[in-house]
Amino acid sequence: MAVNTRVPLIAGNWKMNLDHLQAIAFVQKLAWSLKDAGHDFTSTEVAVFPPFTDLRSVQTLVAADKLPLAYGGQDVSTQESGAYTGEISAAFLAALECQYVLIGHSERRTLHNETDEVVAAKVTAALKHNLVPIICVGETAADLELHGPSAVPVAQLKAALAGVDNAADIVVAYEPVWAIGSGQAATPDQAEQVAAALRTTLAEVLGQDVADKTRILYGGSVKGVNIAGFMKEPNVDGALVGGASLDITEFSSIVRFQKHVGL
Ligand code: PGA
């Protein structure tokens, strides 16, 4: 088995929270608090996913203060440009120097009827503009009962990779729908089991090299108190954090998981 050289990624999905003024204050405080705590940004990467209307402000702040934080959009259009009212293109995100974009979050799949085909088209659009897609997959409680833990996430990942070639830089986020915002996280064992299945899928579809270098995040009720358990698992390379990413102390504690148990 290849040596794990994957740099952990802790990503904060703000969802529809914090306007652009709040975003500036928040990002500044987050960067300071992590720097004060001596966080080594090369050992664990940190990214935030603010609402679209905040991105220009975050870009300006990150560039002006040279903050070692990555950022990205919470969604992206399948389309390049044109008559698509309300949509945001991958080119627009790239122009704001976003490195990442979340794609196929369960709230998009459920509340906006995003199908696997739409998710795949968004992944293709992101890669075309050199954005790293964070492809979100996960089963509902009903899926879990019917199909077991990894069948649905694996099928969603296969579908999302339809237009991806083996040179692509991608991230996968496993987020069981029943764990999102519920306070009931998966166990580290459960997360590892699905992450391992997702890595096998990556190897089947894109080859072992891509599978070895691709980061797989766990998401769903991640907090400072449970992050270390997930990060000890060999196939879990970080976290996608919702609620706890809006609290600087809590998010910093997640980012600094290595300090919790001397990992
Ligand atoms: P949560 O959300 O951390 O609030 O459970 C995770 C997510 O939706 O990405």
Side-chain angles (χ1 to χ4, degrees), residues 13 15 105 107 175 179-182 219-222 240-244:
N13 173 13
K15 308 192 179 185
H105 188 279
E107 285 149 22
E175 297 204 302
I180 295 177
S182 67
S221 298
V222 171
L240 181 53
V241 185

Side-chain angles (χ1 to χ4, degrees), residues 29-256:
K29 257 199 225 156
L30 175 66
W32 285 342
S33 99
L34 286 171
K35 277 186 190 168
D36 279 355
H39 179 64
D40 173 6
F41 288 86
T42 57
S43 75
T44 298
E45 198 185 339
V46 184
V48 292
F49 293 83
F52 287 133
T53 48
D54 298 2
L55 285 172
R56 172 65 175 149
S57 306
V58 171
Q59 177 204 20
T60 306
L61 172 66
V62 164
D65 291 3
K66 297 190 172 44
L67 303 181
L69 295 171
Y71 55 88
Q74 298 174 11
D75 183 31
V76 68
S77 176
T78 58
Q79 303 296 323
E80 272 298 301
S81 65
Y84 301 100
T85 302
E87 294 287 287
I88 301 292
S89 72
F92 294 169
L93 295 178
L96 291 174
E97 297 174 316
C98 289
Q99 296 93 322
Y100 295 102
V101 60
L102 300 180
I103 296 181
H105 188 279
S106 75
E107 285 149 22
R108 302 291 320 169
R109 292 180 190 259
T110 313
L111 305 173
H112 300 271
N113 303 318
E114 272 186 24
T115 61
D116 282 342
E117 291 69 32
V118 169
V119 170
K122 290 184 172 188
V123 170
T124 308
L127 289 170
K128 187 167 171 218
H129 291 277
N130 295 319
L131 298 167
V132 176
I134 299 186
I135 303 169
C136 304
V137 298
E139 81 289 356
T140 62
D143 292 334
L144 184 63
E145 205 152 288
L146 267 176
H147 310 289
S150 48
V152 168
V154 162
Q156 287 176 340
L157 179 60
K158 277 192 185 148
L161 297 177
V164 176
D165 67 36
N166 62 6
D169 195 1
I170 60 172
V171 173
V172 178
Y174 166 53
E175 297 204 302
V177 180
W178 47 269
I180 295 177
S182 67
Q184 187 206 338
T187 65
D189 267 4
Q190 285 173 313
E192 171 60 20
Q193 194 188 337
V194 179
L198 294 171
R199 199 172 303 285
T200 302
T201 304
L202 288 169
E204 282 164 12
V205 180
L206 298 174
Q208 193 61 49
D209 285 355
V210 178
D212 287 341
K213 70 169 198 208
T214 298
R215 289 171 295 181
I216 300 178
L217 316 182
Y218 166 76
S221 298
V222 171
K223 307 251 175 338
V225 291
N226 61 20
I227 183 66
F230 294 112
M231 296 308 294
K232 276 192 221 154
E233 298 294 345
N235 284 294
V236 177
D237 308 308
L240 181 53
V241 185
S245 76
L246 298 168
D247 179 318
I248 294 199
T249 310
E250 192 67 31
F251 192 58
S252 303
S253 158
I254 295 169
V255 168
R256 288 170 50 70

